[in-house]
Amino acid sequence: MSVIEVKNLEKIYENDGVKTPALQGVSFSVESGEFVAIMGPSGSGKSTLLHLLGFLDEHTTGEYWFDGKKVSDYSKEEVAIVRNKKMGFIFQSFNLLPKTTVLENVKLPLLYSDMPEAKWNEVALRAIESVGLSNRISHESSQLSGGEKQRVAIARALVNDPQVIFADEPTGNLDSKSGQIVMEIIQKLSEEQGRTVILITHETYTAGHAERIITMRDGKIESDKKIESRNRARDHFEK
């Protein structure tokens, strides 16, 4: 079943009467549980696409279905609910509160959920444990390394048990070792938990963790390929 489907999606930015196309006629679908990497150089439209898929922006023309429902048919209230309950976001810049503990950062999305507050700690601690940071729950995020901050961001993205994880350049601010740890965690979300993962990256090695790679250029899809073996893909990129 397709959790995401877009047809002829276009996004045009207009500034002082000048129109700039960011996406042009983009069409594809993503099945539930797929791990898809979207690659391309700067300005290719990959981040714009993620913002549209994650309900962070609106497309200009075309059609987008999420979980079988056309996005244009969602009310503003429904958009907010879907974004909070069915989507998790991991960003390059972490977006953590610096003077707040790991536990409190991970609990933040629960403020907007209908989960009883009595369960927040239990759920957040489980998410933190899943990324291997149980020994850091009382540390402020400003006391963590870059790799640890990104793992906290992953735990925060998981706390509402989302259907889809959107990861925008999650290793962009990390050294290679920390980046590898983060990507192994993200890959497990797909392989062991069956979550749908949409990864935005310009790094070929990072994309090698996915099972499918969509390459973009100038706002269009240049290629869309299944990867038979993730290990072989990473080996190929390393050469």
Side-chain angles (χ1 to χ4, degrees):
M1 174 184 174
S2 296
V3 64
I4 286 173
E5 184 175 1
V6 297
K7 290 184 178 179
N8 296 318
L9 206 64
E10 299 202 353
K11 178 64 178 179
I12 299 174
Y13 293 103
E14 186 169 355
N15 186 24
D16 294 331
V18 178
K19 295 183 177 181
T20 304
L23 293 177
Q24 304 179 65
V26 172
S27 300
F28 66 94
S29 62
V30 177
E31 300 302 307
S32 180
E34 255 195 305
F35 185 173
V36 180
I38 301 176
M39 293 191 68
S42 178
S44 62
K46 59 186 186 297
S47 290
T48 297
L49 178 58
L50 179 138
H51 290 160
L52 299 184
L53 298 180
F55 290 9
L56 301 175
D57 199 358
E58 297 180 357
H59 57 276
T60 305
T61 60
E63 297 175 325
Y64 172 23
W65 286 265
F66 181 84
D67 206 17
K69 182 174 179 178
K70 192 185 259 188
V71 171
S72 57
D73 292 337
Y74 282 94
S75 67
K76 289 184 178 180
E77 292 76 16
E78 287 173 326
V79 165
I81 290 171
V82 168
R83 196 163 48 209
N84 182 255
K85 289 187 174 182
K86 294 189 176 184
M87 298 177 176
F89 297 90
I90 306 167
F91 297 102
Q92 178 178 347
S93 56
F94 318 131
N95 292 348
L96 302 179
L97 299 179
K99 296 296 183 180
T100 307
T101 66
V102 167
L103 181 60
E104 293 301 322
N105 265 290
V106 173
K107 288 197 297 184
L108 278 175
L110 300 176
L111 293 171
Y112 309 98
S113 73
D114 53 9
M115 183 183 297
E117 189 172 354
K119 292 186 177 181
W120 289 4
N121 273 5
E122 176 188 348
V123 171
L125 288 170
R126 192 182 308 131
I128 293 168
E129 182 181 2
S130 74
V131 298
L133 286 178
S134 296
N135 62 331
R136 293 284 194 268
I137 59 172
S138 298
H139 286 64
E140 293 184 355
S141 61
S142 58
Q143 298 173 309
L144 304 178
S145 68
E148 288 172 333
K149 288 178 181 178
Q150 194 58 289
R151 286 153 68 187
V152 174
I154 294 172
R156 183 183 56 192
L158 294 175
V159 77
N160 271 329
D161 193 24
Q163 184 176 1
V164 182
I165 298 289
F166 293 103
D168 191 0
E169 301 280 7
T171 62
N173 285 334
L174 306 180
D175 59 63
S176 58
K177 183 178 179 180
S178 297
Q180 174 65 17
I181 292 172
V182 164
M183 286 311 305
E184 287 175 356
I185 292 172
I186 292 175
Q187 186 170 332
K188 286 181 180 179
L189 299 180
S190 171
E191 291 182 342
E192 298 179 8
Q193 299 184 21
R195 299 183 195 273
T196 306
V197 179
I198 308 294
L199 167 72
I200 301 296
T201 183
H202 66 277
E203 299 169 334
T204 51
Y205 180 81
T206 302
H209 287 266
E211 60 186 307
R212 175 181 168 197
I213 299 177
I214 295 175
T215 304
M216 298 190 66
R217 186 175 297 277
D218 299 329
K220 301 176 182 179
I221 292 179
E222 189 174 59
S223 65
D224 185 347
K225 298 178 180 179
K226 287 274 191 178
I227 304 300
E228 293 183 6
S229 166
R230 300 185 193 189
N231 289 330
R232 280 204 300 272
R234 291 197 295 273
D235 290 344
H236 172 74
F237 287 138
E238 284 181 327
K239 291 177 181 177

